[in-house]
Amino acid sequence: MTYLSILVETRGRVGLVALNRPRALNALNYALMDELMRALAIFDADDAIGAIVITGSDQAFAAGADIKEMANKSAADMTQNDPISIYGQIRSIRKPVIAAVSGWALGGGCELALSCDMIVASETAQFGLPETTIGVIPGAGGTQRLIRAVGKATAMEMILNDRKINAQTALHSRLVNRVVPVDAYLNEALQLAEQIAARAPLAILAAKRAINHSYESFLGAGLEEERRIFYDLFNTEDQKEGMRAFIEKRKPAWTGR
Ligand code: CO8
């Protein structure tokens, strides 16, 4: 399989996918997400693979969904094309998925990390959900999953006021499993994945399924509501202004319409 926006390799029983759009800080466009989900599905179906690691670069895990790709979309475009559905595919991966995060994990990038089963962070990792600064809300699970990780107070501040949290705060807030120096985070994640991949395969799949049964019990309805609100915001002038302002590298002028 050839990929343009990701790098894929196998390390023993671990499948490794690296997001690879360095000039856009790994902004998640549709083509990248499609490749990522195809690579995950192939690893998931491969008996020689026991766990999967998703990483980015040292500078950026991913700086969010690709704003340039969606800036001019209408609510009808978004609802019809349903670009968030591809993010949802990660929920069907049966094998453990670990995010190895360094640098920016913002917006859809943070949501992708939150969709993984565990997060190993480098000391430089920065987590944030800055969507309200461009006139929308997190749409790929951020409003639902962040609150379960860090609690309501911190989630409100991160989403309503673009508070970014560093790796140490993320560790104390139980958003991530471990924090290690930037030259070690990928190996740390690979080692963790390797240890899990060496365990009884059926028990590992069963354990993940059982944990998610509890974790996801109330998640489905919340995700649907979040997605509907996200798409509806593409009817507003503030969404157009917010995304254009980002692309034009200026401050947005909000009108509240
Ligand atoms: N989308 C598109 N391009 C991006 C993105 C992005 N999210 N982030 C960075 N880039 C591009 C920049 O435009 C720039 O490109 P160019 O060189 O052509 O101008 C390049 O990457 C480098 O970025 P900067 O020059 O901005 O780098 P800085 O070091 O100055 O700043 C930041 C780094 C702070 C990460 C900054 O780039 C930033 O704020 N990025 C946007 C963060 C953001 O708002 N993310 C949320 C996006 S919305 C979202 O994720 C919703 C997800 C849910 C639904 C998904 C539906 C499809």
Side-chain angles (χ1 to χ4, degrees):
M1 183 76 67
T2 342
Y3 299 103
L4 298 174
S5 309
I6 58 172
L7 303 170
V8 177
E9 59 180 290
T10 301
R11 305 266 186 105
R13 281 184 50 75
V14 177
L16 173 63
V17 184
L19 312 179
N20 189 33
R21 293 187 73 209
R23 271 176 297 182
L25 300 179
N26 289 332
L28 305 168
N29 60 9
Y30 189 82
L32 183 154
M33 287 304 294
D34 184 51
E35 289 188 358
L36 171 63
M37 292 309 160
R38 273 195 283 146
L40 294 184
I42 290 170
F43 282 142
D44 204 36
D46 183 350
D47 286 343
I49 296 294
I52 301 166
V53 172
I54 303 176
T55 194
S57 67
D58 292 352
Q59 193 193 1
F61 179 70
D66 193 315
I67 298 167
K68 294 166 188 169
E69 198 174 62
M70 64 184 158
N72 294 322
K73 299 276 192 249
S74 67
D77 293 333
M78 294 302 276
T79 308
Q80 265 161 29
N81 295 328
D82 194 12
I84 291 170
S85 62
I86 197 155
Y87 287 76
Q89 290 175 19
I90 200 164
R91 288 172 75 199
S92 65
I93 302 298
R94 298 162 311 134
K95 291 176 184 164
V97 182
I98 299 172
V101 175
S102 184
W104 301 113
L106 301 180
C110 183
E111 294 176 300
L112 176 62
L114 286 167
S115 304
C116 294
D117 302 312
M118 284 167 263
I119 303 177
V120 173
S122 93
E123 284 167 346
T124 67
Q126 294 274 345
F127 297 86
L129 290 172
E131 283 89 342
T132 57
T133 66
I134 54 167
V136 291
I137 65 163
T143 63
Q144 306 300 302
R145 292 194 178 95
L146 187 68
I147 186 173
R148 287 155 196 244
V150 305
K152 183 180 165 190
T154 304
M156 283 285 183
E157 214 181 327
M158 288 176 71
I159 295 172
L160 271 51
N161 202 26
D162 187 24
R163 178 181 167 204
K164 296 182 175 66
I165 61 171
N166 65 23
Q168 280 306 331
T169 308
L171 184 65
H172 293 136
S173 308
R174 302 183 188 166
L175 183 71
V176 308
N177 294 72
R178 301 173 190 189
V179 176
V180 288
V182 69
D183 57 5
Y185 73 98
L186 182 55
N187 275 339
E188 183 80 13
L190 286 167
Q191 247 175 47
L192 179 60
E194 207 173 281
Q195 286 165 4
I196 294 169
R199 295 176 178 278
L202 294 179
I204 293 298
L205 300 190
K208 171 168 168 168
R209 204 168 64 233
I211 293 169
N212 277 343
H213 186 71
S214 161
Y215 180 73
E216 299 213 333
S217 283
F218 298 98
L219 195 61
L223 290 174
E224 266 177 41
E225 181 64 2
E226 177 197 68
R227 190 184 304 194
R228 194 187 58 73
I229 298 169
F230 179 81
Y231 290 160
D232 277 355
L233 284 165
F234 283 74
N235 269 329
T236 66
E237 288 174 20
D238 281 353
Q239 172 271 324
K240 298 286 170 297
E241 169 61 10
M243 293 197 177
R244 270 182 212 139
F246 172 78
I247 293 166
E248 292 164 12
K249 301 185 191 290
R250 59 172 173 82
K251 270 196 151 170
W254 305 119
T255 57
R257 285 200 294 267

